[in-house]
Amino acid sequence: MSMIAAFYGGKSILITGATGFMGKVLMEKLFRTSPDLKVIYILVRPKAGQTLQQRVFQILNSKLFEKVKEVCPNVHEKIRAIYADLNQNDFGISKEDMQELLSCTNIIFHCAATVRFDDTLRHAVQLNVTATQQLLLMASQMPKLEAFIHISTAFSNCNLKHIDEVIYPCPVEPKKIIDSLEWLDDAIIDEITPKLIGDRPNTYTYTKALGEMVVQQESGNMNIAIIRPSIVGATWQEPFPGWVDNLNGPSGLIIAAGKGFLRAIKATPMAVADLIPVDTVVNLTLAVGWYTAVHRPKSTLVYHCTSGNFNPCNWGKMGFQILATFEKIPLERAFRRPYADFTTNNFTTQYRNAVSHRAPAIIYDFYLRLTGRKPRMTKLMNRLLRTVSMMEYFVNQSWEWSTYNTEMLMSELSPEDQRVFNFDVRQLNWLEYIENYVLGVKKYLLKEDMAGIPEAKQHLKRLRNIHYLFNTALFLIAWRLLIARSQMARNVWFFIVSFCYKFLSYFRASSTLKV
Ligand SMILES: CCCCCCCCCCCCCCCCCCCCCCCCCC(=O)SCCNC(=O)CCNC(=O)[C@H](O)C(C)(C)COP(=O)(O)OP(=O)(O)OC[C@H]1O[C@@H](n2cnc3c(N)ncnc32)[C@H](O)[C@@H]1OP(=O)(O)O
Ligand SMILES: NC(=O)C1=CN([C@@H]2O[C@H](COP(=O)(O)OP(=O)(O)OC[C@H]3O[C@@H](n4cnc5c(N)ncnc54)[C@H](OP(=O)(O)O)[C@@H]3O)[C@@H](O)[C@H]2O)C=CC1
């Protein structure tokens, strides 16, 4: 019997960010391994015209939850969606709901965050720092609380090369930042943002670091732990391989490469691609929840959930395997054939952006205009290149994360728990994982049918022929123009033609002799 699964039995669990990528997988695993848990409270806001109930209904009826329904048929009775907007004071939770949460909650998993790299400092602080502070305040009023698990990121201290499982201080106190954002106007905030974030690449990593400081400062007597995953990718094993449902991290770029939009990227092939499957992160999170509640460590422990020092893979290998998978399983209606290489200097990157990305987009838009349609490719390409430029920071360097606490936890688990809540990435086969990831992107994110693969292959063949035709036409036009303008080019052309003629005559003569 799994001790961790048994621990969550009968518990009331509060999850923030349950509608997000990681939150859904966390809920799924909890229901599947501990179907006798009491209730999962999720803090949800209405979104995209959907009510809370509609959002929950959609999640429970998705493919991800198919297995859950078998082991926990009354899952919809055990999930309680509570209206909450983390941007509001007290999260806008009603008095009755707040009372219930305060009196019943046993465990909190705080996953909600803004993960956008380009968010304004005001919004990123509100969600990643102030909301964390408010949630801790709520947690401190919960008499039955056993553990508070905060999800951060391994990149919260990406300004360092070697990162230990400790909370690093930021030069400006989170409280001072929160206070000053209240009275500063947006223009001034935009101006001081680069100075505040310093050598971090974006407001996301900076505010996640501030969030950790808040956790440390407000922890009081609570049992708190922080988990720092690196780049979270599709599921490795559970509930099935390759599940993914958003474009964050590599997923969006995998699509862009598969559709032939992204053909070059400024990345260092030997840099470590520290990807971690989402089910691995969830398994560690649940194990940490159990350990923190049962063993009550004296201080707030930080757990790195990374792959680099157990089972490293680099961007070169990953890119190669992504492209190899597209040979077997192409995406439908590609713009160009998938092909991508890594460039490492700025000049080559600019050149590739102009020639391999912008020029084809402009030509395609010209074609759309000619055929009476609305041009859209240049806009899409500009957005893609902006996204890629934001990712460059993470694909051109390697980090080293120490993992003492994660290894300590692994050794504390029973063999059964090590199996059911496996977070040992040494067992991960990268080639298999990447293939499943690409397949998952096609099936679950793009919702493409496997029956369409022969047609997709046919389409790629047509694109190859168009590519050859286009190149030949381009060469002939260029050559024709050159001949018209330069005596030297004409001489070279006549020399080549007469050489070919002589060669063919010789060949014909020698074959006649043989007969
Ligand atoms: C050698 C061999 C050869 C091989 C060759 C090569 C092989 C092939 C290469 C293949 C690639 C292989 C790996 C590559 C490296 C991966 C690096 C990952 C690093 C991640 C580090 C993470 C570290 C930290 C981890 C963490 O701790 S946190 C999680 C990370 N957080 C994020 O990943 C948020 C990012 N996102 C945003 O920051 C916002 O999204 C924003 C982008 C500003 C847009 O923002 P905006 O344009 O305003 O608006 P949106 O509405 O958001 O999107 C507007 C439009 O862009 C679309 N779109 C949104 N996203 C993405 C996205 N990603 N990728 C693509 N498209 C995207 C969206 O569909 C919409 O399209 P549309 O509907 O217009 O058609
Ligand atoms: N994905 C990754 O690569 C990594 C993620 N992390 C961390 O893991 C955690 C989960 O990330 P992930 O699941 O990928 O992120 P997602 O963007 O998929 O999910 C974010 C969640 O936060 C919720 N949320 C955002 N704003 C609000 C708000 N104002 N009120 C209520 N809820 C809100 C979202 O709700 P809604 O659906 O309503 O928008 C969603 O449920 C985050 O803390 C992130 O920093 C760490 C390392 C890597």
Side-chain angles (χ1 to χ4, degrees), residues 466-492:
I466 293 173
H467 175 77
Y468 288 156
L469 211 68
F470 182 81
N471 279 1
T472 314
L474 207 65
F475 174 76
L476 290 177
I477 292 168
W479 189 238
R480 186 68 196 86
L481 289 175
L482 204 67
I483 284 182
R485 275 156 213 268
S486 143
Q487 183 59 45
M488 172 88 154
R490 268 198 297 277
N491 292 345
V492 173

Side-chain angles (χ1 to χ4, degrees), residues 261-320:
F261 297 122
L262 181 67
R263 314 245 317 162
I265 181 167
K266 187 176 176 220
T268 305
M270 292 314 288
V272 174
D274 209 300
L275 230 69
I276 190 88
V278 61
D279 45 339
T280 306
V281 182
V282 161
N283 286 344
L284 174 72
T285 303
L286 292 174
V288 168
W290 160 78
Y291 184 81
T292 310
V294 172
H295 293 268
R296 301 172 166 261
K298 285 194 187 72
S299 60
T300 299
L301 293 187
V302 178
Y303 299 84
H304 281 159
C305 191
T306 54
S307 56
N309 73 344
F310 293 116
N311 182 2
C313 179
N314 61 46
W315 290 111
K317 185 172 162 186
M318 192 160 288
F320 185 80

